[in-house]
Amino acid sequence: MSPYHDRDGIALREMASGLALSRMSVAVTKAGASPFPFEKAAAWPQPVVLVKPSRTDRHFVHAKWYEFQTEARRLLLTGSINATRKALMTTDNVEPGVVRALARKTVPLEWEPAERPAFAPDERFPSGLKGNEIVYAGFDRQDSSLLSGRIISLQPTAGIWKGCLIQADGDAVSFAQSYWRNDMAWPQRITWF
């Protein structure tokens, strides 16, 4: 289960071939459309079964789920590893994942058959930072009103910055005119709700 696939599905086809899978289930993660090429996969040597999670809540699926049934046990790999050539077949993209060895009959998630959706390829985003910045920040353990961190960028970042922190419950605080210098980490005192 992954919301991101190659247009030709090559990563999953190679994985199925390399692991000598007898069949493979691929999850439909969005009603009506999928970035996985189910029509092309119908010609693969291993049958591809369309499934969806047996859940009533229908949130956007971002986490990735790889489940392998062996003779001895069930292996579950979850994390950020997309079902793409770059993520599964190269070392160009590093993503975290957790592998769990479960008892053979453990069923961590129920699946049900799914209808074949229309093919809707993923929009491709250029790799690298380009003109973007990454902000890495955290609150101080002793003083929860002190936010400190760093900016990672390929361009100068000195100047006036504005920001907004939003909690899960919707409470927010904005801060403005913070001067961040290129050569040092920045501190910013925040009055949190």
Side-chain angles (χ1 to χ4, degrees):
M1 179 168 63
S2 172
Y4 305 108
H5 293 272
D6 293 311
R7 292 171 187 255
D8 58 4
I10 190 69
L12 291 188
R13 182 175 178 173
E14 289 295 315
M15 182 169 62
S17 176
L19 294 173
L21 300 180
S22 57
R23 70 180 177 88
M24 176 172 39
S25 298
V26 176
V28 175
T29 58
K30 180 180 167 187
S34 174
F36 183 78
F38 287 105
E39 190 170 328
K40 286 182 182 178
W44 293 0
Q46 297 85 1
V48 175
V49 178
L50 287 83
V51 296
K52 63 183 178 180
S54 297
R55 298 177 59 121
T56 55
D57 59 331
R58 296 287 181 220
H59 300 293
F60 171 73
V61 174
H62 182 72
K64 291 62 173 191
W65 182 287
Y66 300 88
E67 193 174 323
F68 304 92
Q69 181 63 59
T70 70
E71 292 290 328
R73 63 187 64 241
R74 187 177 299 258
L75 298 174
L76 179 61
L77 168 62
T78 56
S80 297
I81 307 158
N82 295 320
T84 61
R85 175 183 289 106
K86 193 168 197 173
L88 292 175
M89 299 171 65
T90 74
T91 56
D92 294 342
N93 188 30
V94 178
E95 298 283 0
V98 175
V99 176
R100 286 170 267 200
L102 307 171
R104 188 179 193 287
K105 295 188 177 189
T106 302
V107 180
L109 182 62
E110 295 283 344
W111 301 93
E112 62 187 52
E115 296 292 321
R116 185 163 73 185
F119 178 60
D122 289 326
E123 181 182 343
R124 293 292 179 196
F125 297 102
S127 59
L129 284 176
K130 306 291 186 231
N132 299 307
E133 285 78 30
I134 296 173
V135 177
Y136 171 80
F139 286 101
D140 187 89
R141 288 185 180 193
Q142 279 71 41
D143 182 355
S144 63
S145 70
L146 183 62
L147 178 68
S148 61
R150 295 186 182 275
I151 298 175
I152 301 170
S153 180
L154 298 175
Q155 57 197 2
T157 58
I160 305 298
W161 284 71
K162 297 179 182 180
C164 180
L165 299 174
I166 304 171
Q167 293 186 148
D169 64 5
D171 283 346
V173 62
S174 296
F175 51 95
Q177 300 183 358
S178 301
Y179 184 74
W180 297 10
R181 295 191 343 219
N182 289 338
D183 60 348
M184 62 178 287
W186 51 271
Q188 171 69 44
R189 195 161 299 279
I190 302 292
T191 303
W192 194 247
F193 296 101

